[in-house]
Amino acid sequence: MATITLFEHQKRSYSELGWGQNHPAIEELERLNEASEVELVHLGHKQLKATHFVGVIRIGETTLQILPKIDFDRAGDSDAAADSRPYQVAINSATRNLLYLLAYTHDLQVKEQDVAPLLTQRSDWFELLTRLLVMNLHQLMQRGLEHSYVTVEETLPVMRGRWQLERQLTRRPHVRHLFDVVYDEFSSDTPLNRVFRFVVGRLLLITQDVNNRRLLLDIHEWLAGVYNPGDISQPDLDRVHFTRLNEHLRPAFNLARLFIENSTFQLSSGQRHTFAFVFDMNRLFEEFVYRFVAQYQKRILPQGWGDVRIRAQSQGKTTYLAERLPEHREVFRLCPDLLFEGPFNKPILILDTKYKQLEANRRQLNVSEDDVYQMLAYATRLECPKTLILYPAWAGSLRNSVTFQTLGHSNYLVVATINLRQPLNCPDDLISQLASIFREVSHHGAI
Protein backbone atom coordinates (compact mmCIF):
# COMPACT_ATOMS: atom_id res chain seq x y z
CA MET A 1 0.00 0.00 0.00
CA ALA A 2 1.60 3.26 -1.18
CA THR A 3 0.70 6.38 0.82
CA ILE A 4 0.95 9.86 -0.70
CA THR A 5 0.60 12.69 1.82
CA LEU A 6 -0.26 16.27 0.91
CA PHE A 7 -1.26 19.25 2.96
CA GLU A 8 -4.31 21.27 1.91
CA HIS A 9 -3.82 23.22 -1.33
CA GLN A 10 -0.45 21.57 -2.02
CA LYS A 11 0.39 20.41 -5.53
CA ARG A 12 2.11 17.23 -6.68
CA SER A 13 3.05 16.50 -10.30
CA TYR A 14 2.02 13.18 -11.85
CA SER A 15 5.63 12.53 -12.83
CA GLU A 16 6.70 12.95 -9.20
CA LEU A 17 4.10 10.35 -8.22
CA GLY A 18 5.23 8.01 -10.98
CA TRP A 19 1.91 8.37 -12.80
CA GLY A 20 1.51 8.83 -16.51
CA GLN A 21 -1.27 11.08 -17.82
CA ASN A 22 -3.45 8.00 -18.40
CA HIS A 23 -2.78 6.41 -15.01
CA PRO A 24 -5.90 4.54 -13.71
CA ALA A 25 -5.78 6.45 -10.41
CA ILE A 26 -6.51 9.73 -12.22
CA GLU A 27 -9.65 8.27 -13.79
CA GLU A 28 -10.75 6.88 -10.41
CA LEU A 29 -10.26 10.27 -8.75
CA GLU A 30 -12.37 11.87 -11.47
CA ARG A 31 -15.13 9.33 -10.83
CA LEU A 32 -14.89 9.93 -7.09
CA ASN A 33 -15.21 13.69 -7.59
CA GLU A 34 -18.34 13.08 -9.67
CA ALA A 35 -19.81 10.66 -7.11
CA SER A 36 -19.15 13.12 -4.26
CA GLU A 37 -20.54 16.07 -6.30
CA VAL A 38 -17.63 18.20 -5.05
CA GLU A 39 -14.01 18.56 -6.11
CA LEU A 40 -12.23 16.51 -3.45
CA VAL A 41 -8.98 16.77 -5.43
CA HIS A 42 -8.27 19.16 -8.29
CA LEU A 43 -6.93 17.24 -11.29
CA GLY A 44 -4.88 19.33 -13.69
CA HIS A 45 -3.18 18.44 -16.94
CA LYS A 46 0.16 17.62 -15.31
CA GLN A 47 -0.51 17.66 -11.59
CA LEU A 48 -3.04 17.17 -8.86
CA LYS A 49 -3.78 19.68 -6.13
CA ALA A 50 -5.35 19.22 -2.72
CA THR A 51 -8.39 21.38 -1.99
CA HIS A 52 -10.00 22.36 1.32
CA PHE A 53 -11.15 18.75 1.82
CA VAL A 54 -8.91 16.83 4.21
CA GLY A 55 -8.85 13.14 5.07
CA VAL A 56 -8.04 9.96 3.20
CA ILE A 57 -8.81 8.78 -0.33
CA ARG A 58 -8.00 5.23 -1.41
CA ILE A 59 -7.73 4.05 -4.98
CA GLY A 60 -6.81 0.39 -5.18
CA GLU A 61 -3.39 0.04 -3.56
CA THR A 62 -2.78 3.79 -3.36
CA THR A 63 -3.73 5.97 -0.41
CA LEU A 64 -3.92 9.73 -0.81
CA GLN A 65 -3.77 11.42 2.60
CA ILE A 66 -4.61 15.13 2.79
CA LEU A 67 -3.98 17.00 6.05
CA PRO A 68 -4.85 20.53 7.16
CA LYS A 69 -2.00 22.95 7.81
CA ILE A 70 -2.46 22.87 11.56
CA ASP A 71 0.87 21.24 12.37
CA PHE A 72 2.64 22.80 15.34
CA ASP A 73 5.97 21.03 15.94
CA ARG A 74 8.83 23.50 15.34
CA ALA A 75 10.95 20.68 13.94
CA GLY A 76 8.37 20.11 11.23
CA ASP A 77 7.85 21.81 7.89
CA SER A 78 4.77 21.10 5.77
CA ASP A 79 6.49 22.74 2.78
CA ALA A 80 9.63 20.58 2.95
CA ALA A 81 10.45 17.72 0.59
CA ALA A 82 7.94 14.89 0.87
CA ASP A 83 10.55 12.32 1.88
CA SER A 84 12.26 14.53 4.48
CA ARG A 85 12.24 14.25 8.25
CA PRO A 86 10.69 17.74 8.76
CA TYR A 87 7.80 16.76 6.48
CA GLN A 88 7.13 13.61 8.51
CA VAL A 89 7.22 15.60 11.75
CA ALA A 90 4.66 18.01 10.28
CA ILE A 91 2.47 15.05 9.30
CA ASN A 92 2.50 13.69 12.84
CA SER A 93 1.60 16.97 14.54
CA ALA A 94 -1.09 17.81 11.95
CA THR A 95 -2.58 14.33 12.41
CA ARG A 96 -2.64 14.76 16.16
CA ASN A 97 -4.32 18.17 15.89
CA LEU A 98 -6.89 16.93 13.38
CA LEU A 99 -7.92 14.24 15.85
CA TYR A 100 -8.40 16.79 18.61
CA LEU A 101 -10.25 19.09 16.22
CA LEU A 102 -12.70 16.25 15.58
CA ALA A 103 -12.89 15.54 19.30
CA TYR A 104 -14.42 18.99 19.77
CA THR A 105 -16.66 19.00 16.70
CA HIS A 106 -18.03 15.47 17.01
CA ASP A 107 -17.88 14.80 20.77
CA LEU A 108 -15.20 12.15 20.48
CA GLN A 109 -13.23 10.72 23.35
CA VAL A 110 -9.58 11.09 22.30
CA LYS A 111 -6.96 10.32 24.93
CA GLU A 112 -3.32 11.28 24.59
CA GLN A 113 -2.18 7.91 25.94
CA ASP A 114 -4.00 6.25 23.02
CA VAL A 115 -2.88 8.69 20.33
CA ALA A 116 0.85 8.91 21.12
CA PRO A 117 1.77 5.24 20.45
CA LEU A 118 -0.31 5.14 17.25
CA LEU A 119 1.58 8.06 15.72
CA THR A 120 4.83 6.07 15.92
CA GLN A 121 3.46 3.39 13.57
CA ARG A 122 3.30 5.68 10.50
CA SER A 123 -0.17 4.45 9.61
CA ASP A 124 -2.27 6.78 7.53
CA TRP A 125 -4.77 8.98 9.27
CA PHE A 126 -7.76 6.76 8.44
CA GLU A 127 -6.14 3.65 9.93
CA LEU A 128 -5.30 5.62 13.06
CA LEU A 129 -8.93 6.71 13.48
CA THR A 130 -10.07 3.14 12.79
CA ARG A 131 -7.74 1.88 15.52
CA LEU A 132 -9.21 4.30 18.05
CA LEU A 133 -12.71 2.98 17.30
CA VAL A 134 -11.91 -0.71 17.29
CA MET A 135 -9.78 -0.56 20.44
CA ASN A 136 -12.63 1.16 22.24
CA LEU A 137 -15.30 -1.21 20.92
CA HIS A 138 -13.17 -4.30 21.53
CA GLN A 139 -12.64 -3.31 25.15
CA LEU A 140 -16.30 -2.46 25.71
CA MET A 141 -17.71 -5.57 24.05
CA GLN A 142 -15.46 -7.89 25.99
CA ARG A 143 -17.65 -6.92 28.93
CA GLY A 144 -20.75 -7.87 26.94
CA LEU A 145 -23.03 -6.46 24.24
CA GLU A 146 -25.69 -3.89 24.88
CA HIS A 147 -29.07 -5.53 25.47
CA SER A 148 -32.42 -3.81 25.53
CA TYR A 149 -36.11 -4.55 25.14
CA VAL A 150 -36.86 -4.44 21.42
CA THR A 151 -40.37 -4.38 19.96
CA VAL A 152 -40.87 -7.36 17.63
CA GLU A 153 -43.76 -7.82 15.21
CA GLU A 154 -44.24 -11.37 13.92
CA THR A 155 -46.76 -13.82 12.57
CA LEU A 156 -46.72 -16.94 14.78
CA PRO A 157 -48.73 -20.17 15.12
CA VAL A 158 -49.16 -19.40 18.86
CA MET A 159 -50.20 -16.31 20.78
CA ARG A 160 -47.40 -14.21 22.25
CA GLY A 161 -47.60 -10.67 23.57
CA ARG A 162 -50.43 -8.59 22.09
CA TRP A 163 -52.63 -9.87 19.30
CA GLN A 164 -52.90 -7.32 16.47
CA LEU A 165 -56.38 -8.39 15.48
CA GLU A 166 -57.18 -5.42 13.25
CA ARG A 167 -54.03 -5.91 11.17
CA GLN A 168 -54.64 -9.64 10.87
CA LEU A 169 -58.24 -9.17 9.73
CA THR A 170 -57.05 -6.70 7.10
CA ARG A 171 -54.20 -8.86 5.76
CA ARG A 172 -55.37 -12.41 6.40
CA PRO A 173 -59.07 -12.54 7.33
CA HIS A 174 -59.46 -16.25 6.41
CA VAL A 175 -56.28 -17.54 8.10
CA ARG A 176 -57.08 -18.92 11.53
CA HIS A 177 -53.94 -20.88 12.45
CA LEU A 178 -51.54 -17.87 12.38
CA PHE A 179 -51.55 -14.82 14.64
CA ASP A 180 -50.16 -11.33 14.02
CA VAL A 181 -48.57 -10.42 17.34
CA VAL A 182 -46.30 -7.77 18.81
CA TYR A 183 -44.13 -8.31 21.89
CA ASP A 184 -41.03 -6.98 23.63
CA GLU A 185 -37.92 -9.12 23.62
CA PHE A 186 -34.71 -8.57 25.60
CA SER A 187 -32.22 -8.69 22.76
CA SER A 188 -28.82 -7.53 21.54
CA ASP A 189 -30.39 -6.62 18.18
CA THR A 190 -30.65 -2.95 19.16
CA PRO A 191 -30.42 0.17 16.95
CA LEU A 192 -27.03 0.96 18.51
CA ASN A 193 -25.59 -2.49 17.82
CA ARG A 194 -26.90 -2.34 14.25
CA VAL A 195 -24.87 0.83 13.74
CA PHE A 196 -21.78 -0.90 15.10
CA ARG A 197 -22.43 -3.99 12.95
CA PHE A 198 -22.71 -1.86 9.81
CA VAL A 199 -19.56 0.19 10.49
CA VAL A 200 -17.50 -2.87 11.43
CA GLY A 201 -18.54 -4.63 8.23
CA ARG A 202 -17.68 -1.56 6.15
CA LEU A 203 -14.29 -1.11 7.82
CA LEU A 204 -13.43 -4.75 7.18
CA LEU A 205 -13.73 -4.01 3.46
CA ILE A 206 -11.42 -1.01 3.70
CA THR A 207 -8.75 -1.46 6.35
CA GLN A 208 -5.28 -2.54 5.30
CA ASP A 209 -3.90 -2.73 8.83
CA VAL A 210 -3.41 -6.27 10.19
CA ASN A 211 -4.07 -5.33 13.81
CA ASN A 212 -7.20 -3.37 12.89
CA ARG A 213 -8.48 -6.35 10.90
CA ARG A 214 -7.88 -8.73 13.79
CA LEU A 215 -9.84 -6.57 16.23
CA LEU A 216 -12.61 -5.98 13.68
CA LEU A 217 -13.02 -9.71 13.09
CA ASP A 218 -13.44 -10.28 16.84
CA ILE A 219 -16.13 -7.58 17.05
CA HIS A 220 -17.82 -8.86 13.88
CA GLU A 221 -18.09 -12.33 15.44
CA TRP A 222 -19.51 -10.96 18.68
CA LEU A 223 -22.15 -9.04 16.70
CA ALA A 224 -23.14 -12.07 14.60
CA GLY A 225 -26.59 -12.17 16.22
CA VAL A 226 -27.32 -8.56 15.30
CA TYR A 227 -29.18 -7.81 12.07
CA ASN A 228 -26.95 -6.39 9.34
CA PRO A 229 -28.95 -3.49 7.85
CA GLY A 230 -26.85 -3.21 4.68
CA ASP A 231 -27.04 0.57 4.98
CA ILE A 232 -27.54 3.17 7.68
CA SER A 233 -29.65 6.29 7.13
CA GLN A 234 -30.12 9.40 9.24
CA PRO A 235 -33.37 8.03 10.77
CA ASP A 236 -31.44 4.90 11.82
CA LEU A 237 -28.91 7.09 13.65
CA ASP A 238 -31.69 9.13 15.24
CA ARG A 239 -33.27 5.95 16.62
CA VAL A 240 -30.27 5.40 18.89
CA HIS A 241 -31.01 6.61 22.42
CA PHE A 242 -28.80 6.66 25.47
CA THR A 243 -29.63 5.99 29.10
CA ARG A 244 -27.48 5.57 32.17
CA LEU A 245 -27.14 1.88 31.20
CA ASN A 246 -25.50 2.49 27.80
CA GLU A 247 -24.08 6.00 28.20
CA HIS A 248 -20.56 4.51 28.25
CA LEU A 249 -21.09 3.56 24.58
CA ARG A 250 -21.80 7.11 23.41
CA PRO A 251 -18.16 8.01 22.49
CA ALA A 252 -17.87 4.86 20.34
CA PHE A 253 -21.20 5.68 18.69
CA ASN A 254 -20.05 9.23 17.92
CA LEU A 255 -16.93 7.86 16.24
CA ALA A 256 -18.94 5.26 14.30
CA ARG A 257 -21.30 8.02 13.22
CA LEU A 258 -18.29 10.00 12.01
CA PHE A 259 -17.34 7.15 9.65
CA ILE A 260 -20.91 6.92 8.32
CA GLU A 261 -21.50 10.63 7.71
CA ASN A 262 -18.15 11.46 6.11
CA SER A 263 -17.53 8.50 3.80
CA THR A 264 -18.00 8.00 0.09
CA PHE A 265 -17.46 4.40 -0.94
CA GLN A 266 -17.79 2.66 -4.28
CA LEU A 267 -16.53 -0.49 -5.98
CA SER A 268 -14.79 0.43 -9.19
CA SER A 269 -13.93 -1.64 -12.25
CA GLY A 270 -12.19 -4.93 -11.59
CA GLN A 271 -10.97 -5.34 -8.03
CA ARG A 272 -10.00 -1.70 -7.44
CA HIS A 273 -11.72 -0.20 -4.43
CA THR A 274 -12.26 3.55 -4.35
CA PHE A 275 -13.04 5.13 -1.04
CA ALA A 276 -13.03 8.64 0.47
CA PHE A 277 -13.25 9.68 4.10
CA VAL A 278 -12.99 13.46 4.05
CA PHE A 279 -14.00 16.64 5.86
CA ASP A 280 -14.69 20.12 4.53
CA MET A 281 -12.34 22.39 6.50
CA ASN A 282 -14.74 25.33 6.08
CA ARG A 283 -17.42 23.50 8.05
CA LEU A 284 -14.95 21.91 10.43
CA PHE A 285 -13.49 25.30 11.36
CA GLU A 286 -16.95 26.80 11.88
CA GLU A 287 -18.10 23.93 14.09
CA PHE A 288 -14.84 23.94 16.06
CA VAL A 289 -15.15 27.64 16.92
CA TYR A 290 -18.73 27.15 18.08
CA ARG A 291 -17.97 24.10 20.23
CA PHE A 292 -14.79 25.60 21.69
CA VAL A 293 -16.37 28.94 22.63
CA ALA A 294 -19.44 27.20 24.07
CA GLN A 295 -17.31 24.82 26.14
CA TYR A 296 -15.10 27.55 27.60
CA GLN A 297 -17.69 30.33 27.57
CA LYS A 298 -17.03 31.46 31.14
CA ARG A 299 -13.31 31.89 30.45
CA ILE A 300 -13.66 33.50 27.01
CA LEU A 301 -16.55 35.96 27.18
CA PRO A 302 -16.03 39.33 28.89
CA GLN A 303 -17.40 40.27 32.29
CA GLY A 304 -20.99 41.35 31.99
CA TRP A 305 -21.70 38.72 29.36
CA GLY A 306 -22.59 36.06 31.91
CA ASP A 307 -26.20 35.79 30.74
CA VAL A 308 -25.32 35.71 27.05
CA ARG A 309 -26.68 32.77 25.08
CA ILE A 310 -24.82 31.39 22.05
CA ARG A 311 -26.92 30.13 19.16
CA ALA A 312 -25.55 28.32 16.13
CA GLN A 313 -27.02 28.82 12.67
CA SER A 314 -28.74 25.42 12.86
CA GLN A 315 -30.73 26.62 15.90
CA GLY A 316 -33.65 28.99 15.99
CA LYS A 317 -35.95 30.26 13.27
CA THR A 318 -34.93 31.18 9.73
CA THR A 319 -34.39 34.89 9.02
CA TYR A 320 -34.52 36.59 5.63
CA LEU A 321 -33.05 39.91 4.52
CA ALA A 322 -35.88 41.12 2.29
CA GLU A 323 -39.19 40.26 0.69
CA ARG A 324 -40.08 40.22 -2.97
CA LEU A 325 -42.90 42.48 -4.05
CA PRO A 326 -45.77 42.45 -4.74
CA GLU A 327 -46.30 38.92 -3.35
CA HIS A 328 -44.28 39.66 -0.17
CA ARG A 329 -42.29 36.43 -0.46
CA GLU A 330 -39.25 36.35 1.82
CA VAL A 331 -35.90 36.08 0.00
CA PHE A 332 -32.15 36.13 0.74
CA ARG A 333 -31.87 33.80 3.71
CA LEU A 334 -29.51 34.90 6.49
CA CYS A 335 -27.48 32.25 8.31
CA PRO A 336 -24.86 33.71 10.68
CA ASP A 337 -22.56 31.04 12.09
CA LEU A 338 -22.99 32.21 15.69
CA LEU A 339 -25.42 34.64 17.26
CA PHE A 340 -24.78 35.93 20.77
CA GLU A 341 -27.99 37.02 22.49
CA GLY A 342 -28.45 39.04 25.67
CA PRO A 343 -31.56 39.64 27.79
CA PHE A 344 -34.90 39.41 25.96
CA ASN A 345 -33.12 37.58 23.08
CA LYS A 346 -31.51 40.82 21.95
CA PRO A 347 -28.59 40.19 19.52
CA ILE A 348 -25.37 41.71 20.85
CA LEU A 349 -22.82 40.06 18.55
CA ILE A 350 -22.81 38.15 15.26
CA LEU A 351 -19.82 35.92 14.58
CA ASP A 352 -18.90 34.32 11.26
CA THR A 353 -15.94 32.09 10.50
CA LYS A 354 -14.03 32.15 7.21
CA TYR A 355 -11.44 29.51 6.43
CA LYS A 356 -9.30 31.87 4.36
CA GLN A 357 -5.88 33.46 4.62
CA LEU A 358 -5.48 37.12 5.57
CA GLU A 359 -2.53 39.23 4.47
CA ALA A 360 -1.28 41.81 6.97
CA ASN A 361 0.48 43.93 4.33
CA ARG A 362 -2.71 44.71 2.43
CA ARG A 363 -4.94 47.66 3.17
CA GLN A 364 -8.04 45.53 3.71
CA LEU A 365 -5.98 42.54 4.97
CA ASN A 366 -7.32 40.59 1.98
CA VAL A 367 -10.77 40.54 3.62
CA SER A 368 -13.31 39.85 0.91
CA GLU A 369 -15.75 42.67 0.23
CA ASP A 370 -18.47 40.03 -0.07
CA ASP A 371 -17.71 38.89 3.49
CA VAL A 372 -17.98 42.46 4.79
CA TYR A 373 -21.24 43.10 2.93
CA GLN A 374 -22.61 39.84 4.32
CA MET A 375 -21.81 40.94 7.89
CA LEU A 376 -23.40 44.34 7.23
CA ALA A 377 -26.57 42.59 6.06
CA TYR A 378 -26.60 40.53 9.26
CA ALA A 379 -26.10 43.62 11.42
CA THR A 380 -28.82 45.60 9.62
CA ARG A 381 -31.49 42.91 9.55
CA LEU A 382 -30.88 41.62 13.09
CA GLU A 383 -30.27 45.11 14.53
CA CYS A 384 -26.96 44.01 16.00
CA PRO A 385 -24.28 46.68 16.61
CA LYS A 386 -21.26 44.37 16.59
CA THR A 387 -19.98 41.73 14.20
CA LEU A 388 -16.87 39.57 14.26
CA ILE A 389 -15.18 37.53 11.54
CA LEU A 390 -12.69 34.88 12.67
CA TYR A 391 -10.02 33.50 10.36
CA PRO A 392 -7.32 30.92 11.03
CA ALA A 393 -3.82 32.30 11.48
CA TRP A 394 -1.64 30.80 8.77
CA ALA A 395 2.15 30.81 8.93
CA GLY A 396 3.38 34.40 8.58
CA SER A 397 -0.12 35.88 8.49
CA LEU A 398 -1.90 38.38 10.73
CA ARG A 399 -2.24 37.21 14.34
CA ASN A 400 -4.22 39.94 16.01
CA SER A 401 -7.43 41.88 15.49
CA VAL A 402 -8.43 44.93 13.45
CA THR A 403 -11.61 46.95 13.96
CA PHE A 404 -13.67 48.73 11.30
CA GLN A 405 -16.61 51.09 11.79
CA THR A 406 -19.31 51.62 9.20
CA LEU A 407 -19.27 55.22 8.01
CA GLY A 408 -22.31 57.13 9.20
CA HIS A 409 -23.39 54.32 11.55
CA SER A 410 -22.44 52.87 14.92
CA ASN A 411 -21.86 49.35 13.59
CA TYR A 412 -18.49 47.82 14.39
CA LEU A 413 -16.77 44.95 12.57
CA VAL A 414 -13.80 43.20 14.17
CA VAL A 415 -11.60 41.01 11.98
CA ALA A 416 -9.34 38.62 13.89
CA THR A 417 -7.40 35.39 13.60
CA ILE A 418 -6.91 32.45 15.93
CA ASN A 419 -3.89 30.18 15.87
CA LEU A 420 -4.68 26.50 15.31
CA ARG A 421 -1.01 25.65 14.79
CA GLN A 422 -0.55 24.72 18.43
CA PRO A 423 -1.40 21.56 20.44
CA LEU A 424 -5.20 21.63 20.55
CA ASN A 425 -5.27 19.17 23.45
CA CYS A 426 -3.86 22.03 25.56
CA PRO A 427 -6.59 24.71 25.24
CA ASP A 428 -5.26 27.45 27.55
CA ASP A 429 -3.45 29.51 24.89
CA LEU A 430 -6.40 29.44 22.48
CA ILE A 431 -8.76 30.40 25.30
CA SER A 432 -6.50 33.38 26.03
CA GLN A 433 -6.49 34.42 22.34
CA LEU A 434 -10.26 34.30 22.07
CA ALA A 435 -10.74 36.11 25.38
CA SER A 436 -8.52 38.93 24.07
CA ILE A 437 -10.55 39.15 20.85
CA PHE A 438 -13.87 39.29 22.70
CA ARG A 439 -12.50 41.99 25.01
CA GLU A 440 -11.64 43.99 21.89
CA VAL A 441 -15.20 43.51 20.64
CA SER A 442 -16.72 44.60 23.96
CA HIS A 443 -14.71 47.87 24.02
CA HIS A 444 -16.61 49.30 21.04
CA GLY A 445 -20.06 50.66 21.80
CA ALA A 446 -22.53 49.36 24.35
CA ILE A 447 -23.72 45.79 24.62
Side-chain angles (χ1 to χ4, degrees):
M1 173 67 69
T3 300
I4 302 164
T5 300
L6 288 83
F7 286 84
E8 53 185 330
H9 304 299
Q10 276 188 340
K11 302 174 183 178
R12 195 69 61 84
S13 67
Y14 298 140
S15 59
E16 186 181 353
L17 300 176
W19 296 358
Q21 291 187 359
N22 296 321
H23 194 280
I26 299 174
E27 181 182 352
E28 295 298 334
L29 285 171
E30 288 178 343
R31 293 179 59 182
L32 194 59
N33 280 344
E34 292 177 3
S36 305
E37 298 183 346
V38 291
E39 191 176 46
L40 301 179
V41 180
H42 177 73
L43 301 170
H45 182 62
K46 296 183 178 180
Q47 64 185 13
L48 60 79
K49 180 183 178 181
T51 64
H52 58 277
F53 287 93
V54 301
V56 167
I57 299 173
R58 286 210 177 134
I59 315 121
E61 296 301 314
T62 300
T63 297
L64 182 61
Q65 178 177 234
I66 303 171
L67 296 172
K69 283 195 172 184
I70 55 174
D71 54 295
F72 58 86
D73 195 318
R74 293 185 178 181
D77 184 358
S78 58
D79 294 317
D83 57 352
S84 67
R85 171 65 180 167
Y87 197 76
Q88 185 59 49
V89 172
I91 288 174
N92 285 347
S93 63
T95 299
R96 184 191 299 267
N97 257 3
L98 183 53
L99 286 173
Y100 285 107
L101 199 67
L102 292 175
Y104 280 103
T105 59
H106 291 78
D107 294 323
L108 306 183
Q109 192 176 70
V110 178
K111 300 178 180 178
E112 182 63 24
Q113 61 265 33
D114 294 332
V115 173
L118 293 179
L119 289 173
T120 63
Q121 300 177 17
R122 291 206 173 190
S123 295
D124 66 58
W125 185 79
F126 176 80
E127 295 290 4
L128 190 152
L129 203 62
T130 300
R131 180 68 61 84
L132 289 176
L133 173 64
V134 297
M135 284 194 312
N136 192 4
L137 273 181
H138 198 272
Q139 183 180 14
L140 291 169
M141 290 187 178
Q142 281 181 316
R143 307 175 195 168
L145 298 183
E146 180 207 34
H147 283 71
S148 180
Y149 283 101
V150 179
T151 301
V152 180
E153 294 184 0
E154 283 188 312
T155 301
L156 301 175
V158 296
M159 286 292 299
R160 183 179 180 182
R162 299 186 301 277
W163 186 14
Q164 295 185 302
L165 180 59
E166 183 178 349
R167 191 180 79 165
Q168 182 163 340
L169 291 176
T170 302
R171 296 172 58 189
R172 286 181 285 269
H174 304 297
V175 178
R176 299 182 179 181
H177 64 285
L178 296 176
F179 302 93
D180 285 339
V181 298
V182 57
Y183 58 91
D184 292 331
E185 182 177 62
F186 195 65
S187 169
S188 63
D189 190 16
T190 65
L192 178 58
N193 283 336
R194 289 187 179 188
V195 170
F196 290 146
R197 172 73 188 270
F198 171 78
V199 172
V200 167
R202 182 60 60 87
L203 291 177
L204 274 171
L205 294 174
I206 301 168
T207 186
Q208 301 291 331
D209 185 277
V210 174
N211 290 321
N212 282 349
R213 177 169 290 276
R214 175 179 57 82
L215 295 173
L216 284 166
L217 286 172
D218 284 346
I219 300 169
H220 189 263
E221 182 178 348
W222 296 337
L223 292 170
V226 176
Y227 172 72
N228 185 1
D231 195 13
I232 292 289
S233 62
Q234 188 61 47
D236 296 322
L237 295 173
D238 294 339
R239 273 193 284 271
V240 177
H241 297 288
F242 291 94
T243 67
R244 61 179 181 83
L245 298 177
N246 66 353
E247 181 64 28
H248 62 290
L249 293 167
R250 187 190 292 269
F253 168 75
N254 288 340
L255 189 46
R257 184 174 191 151
L258 191 72
F259 281 105
I260 294 170
E261 293 180 339
N262 295 277
S263 299
T264 299
F265 179 79
Q266 63 186 47
L267 293 177
S268 303
S269 57
Q271 297 299 314
R272 297 175 61 85
H273 290 192
T274 302
F275 162 76
F277 179 70
V278 295
F279 300 88
D280 184 338
M281 280 302 298
N282 295 304
R283 296 181 180 177
L284 205 56
F285 181 56
E286 172 191 328
E287 184 67 18
F288 171 75
V289 170
Y290 166 56
R291 297 294 186 103
F292 193 90
V293 173
Q295 181 170 336
Y296 299 106
Q297 179 173 347
K298 292 182 179 180
R299 297 176 59 185
I300 291 174
L301 299 188
Q303 291 183 354
W305 288 36
D307 296 330
V308 167
R309 184 180 63 175
I310 306 173
R311 194 172 74 190
Q313 68 167 267
S314 59
Q315 304 167 339
K317 65 178 183 179
T318 301
T319 303
Y320 293 87
L321 178 63
E323 59 181 22
R324 180 176 176 176
L325 301 178
E327 62 267 30
H328 296 285
R329 181 167 60 89
E330 292 182 315
V331 291
F332 307 128
R333 185 176 177 225
L334 297 178
C335 299
D337 292 344
L338 293 181
L339 180 62
F340 294 75
E341 295 179 327
F344 308 107
N345 297 327
K346 178 184 177 182
I348 62 172
L349 174 67
I350 296 169
L351 187 155
D352 242 38
T353 59
K354 304 295 180 184
Y355 196 71
K356 303 175 182 178
Q357 183 170 359
L358 295 184
E359 297 181 22
N361 59 349
R362 294 211 176 181
R363 182 181 178 187
Q364 296 178 184
L365 310 176
N366 204 31
V367 177
S368 165
E369 291 184 349
D370 289 343
D371 293 344
V372 174
Y373 299 154
Q374 180 187 44
M375 299 305 287
L376 183 59
Y378 290 157
T380 301
R381 177 66 178 87
L382 298 174
E383 298 181 358
C384 185
K386 301 177 183 181
T387 53
L388 168 64
I389 309 180
L390 279 182
Y391 297 80
W394 302 75
S397 67
L398 179 77
R399 291 198 181 185
N400 51 24
S401 61
V402 178
T403 302
F404 302 91
Q405 182 178 5
T406 307
L407 293 175
H409 297 273
S410 58
N411 292 333
Y412 293 92
L413 168 64
V414 176
V415 174
T417 63
I418 56 173
N419 181 24
L420 300 184
R421 303 188 75 163
Q422 58 178 307
L424 294 181
N425 60 319
C426 304
D428 288 348
D429 186 64
L430 189 54
I431 290 172
S432 178
Q433 287 182 50
L434 284 164
S436 177
I437 293 169
F438 277 88
R439 281 196 300 270
E440 174 69 18
V441 171
S442 68
H443 287 163
H444 299 284
I447 293 181

